[in-house]
Amino acid sequence: MVIQGAQVVGRVAALLRLVGRKPEGTSLAGLVRESGLTRPTVHRLLTSLAAEGFLEHDSSSGKWVLGPEIFLLGSVAAARFPMEDIARPSLRRLATETGESAFFSIRRGNETVCVLREEGSFPVRSFVLHEGVRFPLGVASAGTAILAFLPAEEQEALLAEWTVHAGDFAAGHPADVVRKNLEQTRLAGYSVNPGLILEGSWGMGAAVFDPQGRPAWALSLTGIEPRFRSERQEYLGKLLLEEAHRMTARLQGTS
């Protein structure tokens, strides 16, 4: 019974994460496909979560979206993790000074999760990144920035099983390309994602370090390729590093 109970909890958590990845919600068919569970099992769990207010079914689109109980729990949890107060000023400065959309992501196990966004002023934007989206470490600019500054043995553990770790992103992120990106990130201090997730959509990121000196978060900028060419990357990288250093100093109590 203990194993069955733990299995149910794992399935519920997986479904909540899948629904939370897309603000517009996810269809039942999509959740069945992405979770690997049977349709009856997914429907039963979704219905139970909706009865408790954790999910809602949008009758107009037919998609499942996060419910009010998630918002209430998140509001309570936010008091323990006051990262928005620390990150938001940096995001606003980055968006204002560059015109690009700025993002703040956290490390969660072997993934990064985007939790905050500040829109830039440029009318043409990249929509690869948004609140709730998750990427494996080493994928996207935030995950590359974090992985590059983890201890070598942790990096190698993921790279040794790269295809499994990266999943659907492995095809666009070959291990040799990832290794090169990690090396360049360590040299420059910031990462560059040259449209590896979506052609023409570029990103740059810089790691933010916790009081123990480990990369736990990342700031990033995303936009279309013409605005991320080499002549502008140094400027964007400098701004990212300045804000990342500012946040790190505050978190470590040195500013």
Side-chain angles (χ1 to χ4, degrees), residues 167-233:
D168 293 341
F169 297 101
H173 295 73
D176 58 333
V177 172
V178 172
R179 285 183 182 276
K180 183 178 179 180
N181 284 348
L182 293 174
E183 182 180 356
Q184 291 176 337
T185 299
R186 286 188 290 271
L187 290 172
Y190 55 83
S191 64
V192 178
N193 177 8
L196 296 180
I197 296 175
L198 179 66
E199 186 177 357
S201 178
W202 283 47
M204 295 178 62
V208 176
F209 297 81
D210 66 17
Q212 288 72 47
R214 291 177 58 86
W217 309 277
L219 293 167
S220 60
L221 294 166
T222 67
I224 59 175
E225 181 179 357
R227 299 202 302 268
F228 281 75
R229 288 177 177 157
S230 56
E231 61 268 21
R232 194 167 182 246
Q233 285 179 19

